[in-house]
Amino acid sequence: MQPKIDPSRYTNLALTDQGDGVWMVTLNRSQKRNALDIATIDELVDFFSTAPRAGVRAVVLAGAGDHFCAGLDLIEHHDADRSPADFMHVCLRWHEAFNKMEYGGVPVIAALQGAVVGGGLELASSAHIRVMNKTTYFALPEGQRGLFTGGGATIRVTDLVGKSRMIDMMLTGRVYQGAEAAELGFAQYKVDGDPLEKALELARKTAQNLPLSNFAICSAVSHIQNMSAMDGAYAEAVVAGVVNTQHDARARLAAFADKSAARVRRNQE
Ligand code: 1HE
């Protein structure tokens, strides 16, 4: 039986059904600048484990208030006085949440405002598309706090902006923002208005694609990146064999053949 998303089961995340399979997931602890405590990570694992089987076709991930996410809940971490093993398990739980996002097969579009820092950047970099505006800024303050990244930044942030930039950010606390941040690859879109509106527009657009195509785009690309070129090319062929012969694609191909489908045109200038 297909599982259902029940928003009333979540407290640190606010979930709203936007229609047509699009869901908005909002980190809902603005009084703590949406810092990631264990309860929030657990809810992220829960939602992103269920979403692919619950008919969710695209997700907008947002943060309540002026900041997207302040990273690891430093107060919880301080109070818990964790052992190395305890914190290793915390990180593994973060990875579970972020891997479900990146490899789950459902497009995740992050709407980023204000601080996207530390674990907040790790969370944002697990989304497939990021939208920023002029308030958005990116940093890895771990070095200054006596910490190290533990939520996958060494993989995902280096993937976005490169190893040398990530090392500089961690060593010096360098902050990236504005056009420079977008050009470097922290976000694919920089908008003048509210990133949430653009993220919703993009989510609605991606939700029009066939789910199996989106599954491949939002799962196979990441998996294949982890493979050798030979194995990746082989896996790509296998995935394409399944996706490109799907029954539901026939109507789209027929529309192209009978010239009723939209053509790909250059943008208006
Ligand atoms: C928090 C956190 C937090 C705010 N954990 N409680 N992350 C950081 O080093 C970033 C730390 N946070 C900040 O630098 C600033 O809070 C912000 C730039 C995000 C926002 O500034 P501002 O002036 O709007 O808010 P504030 O007054 O600093 O904080 C408001 C409240 O949020 C306050 O709580 P209150 O009960 O005193 O009102 C803060 O304590 C609380 N708050 N950020 C807990 N992060 C898997 S390893 C990942 C490692 C990392 O992520 S390291 C990076 C950690």
Side-chain angles (χ1 to χ4, degrees):
M1 207 180 69
Q2 199 181 47
K4 272 206 155 78
I5 308 283
D6 176 5
S8 69
R9 289 185 44 235
Y10 297 79
T11 48
N12 290 12
L13 300 180
L15 306 185
T16 54
D17 184 349
Q18 302 288 316
D20 299 326
V22 176
W23 281 74
M24 178 109 73
V25 175
T26 307
L27 304 172
N28 204 21
R29 294 208 313 149
S30 60
Q31 74 286 4
K32 296 291 172 195
R33 305 305 182 256
N34 302 317
L36 297 171
D37 62 351
I38 286 295
T40 305
I41 295 292
D42 281 346
E43 290 191 9
L44 286 169
V45 172
D46 194 293
F47 175 80
F48 283 105
S49 306
T50 313
R53 293 173 292 119
V56 176
R57 298 188 65 156
V59 175
V60 171
L61 179 68
D66 293 339
H67 298 283
F68 173 71
C69 177
L72 175 70
D73 189 318
L74 296 169
I75 309 289
E76 181 183 69
H77 184 58
H78 176 254
D79 291 349
D81 196 18
R82 292 162 169 142
S83 70
D86 289 342
F87 196 65
M88 179 188 72
H89 286 296
V90 169
C91 293
L92 291 175
R93 193 76 174 142
W94 282 46
H95 292 310
E96 207 176 326
F98 297 174
N99 289 342
K100 298 267 186 235
M101 285 172 61
E102 182 183 346
Y103 294 87
V106 176
V108 181
I109 295 119
L112 306 174
Q113 81 287 8
V116 183
V117 301
L121 179 52
E122 296 182 304
L123 172 65
S125 64
S126 309
H128 303 101
I129 301 178
R130 283 160 295 284
V131 184
M132 63 177 289
N133 71 2
K134 65 172 194 267
T135 71
T136 316
Y137 60 99
F138 304 91
L140 293 171
E142 279 82 348
Q144 284 74 52
R145 304 265 184 242
L147 303 173
F148 188 67
T149 55
T154 51
I155 295 134
R156 293 192 183 93
V157 176
T158 56
D159 218 33
L160 290 184
V161 297
K163 178 177 78 172
S164 62
R165 240 171 238 118
M166 180 195 167
I167 290 175
D168 177 31
M169 289 169 80
M170 290 184 75
L171 285 176
T172 67
R174 183 168 181 170
V175 172
Y176 283 101
Q177 62 195 49
E180 184 188 21
E183 274 156 28
L184 289 176
F186 284 100
Q188 294 100 317
Y189 294 85
K190 178 173 176 294
V191 296
D192 290 331
D194 187 348
L196 201 56
E197 271 172 38
K198 183 70 179 176
L200 250 176
E201 176 197 319
L202 295 169
R204 289 196 198 290
K205 195 167 190 179
T206 61
Q208 307 291 311
N209 300 338
L210 293 179
L212 194 59
S213 297
N214 279 348
F215 178 81
I217 297 163
C218 297
S219 180
V221 174
S222 291
H223 276 293
I224 288 170
Q225 284 274 302
N226 301 331
M227 299 177 190
S228 68
M230 277 288 282
D231 291 342
Y234 179 77
E236 185 185 80
V238 172
V239 173
V242 175
V243 174
N244 297 8
T245 57
Q246 61 179 316
H247 182 264
D248 290 350
R250 293 199 62 76
R252 293 178 182 226
L253 296 172
F256 181 81
D258 71 18
K259 301 199 184 299
S260 62
R263 263 40 186 173
V264 182
R265 304 288 185 216
R266 67 197 299 272
N267 294 326
Q268 300 282 353
E269 282 167 42

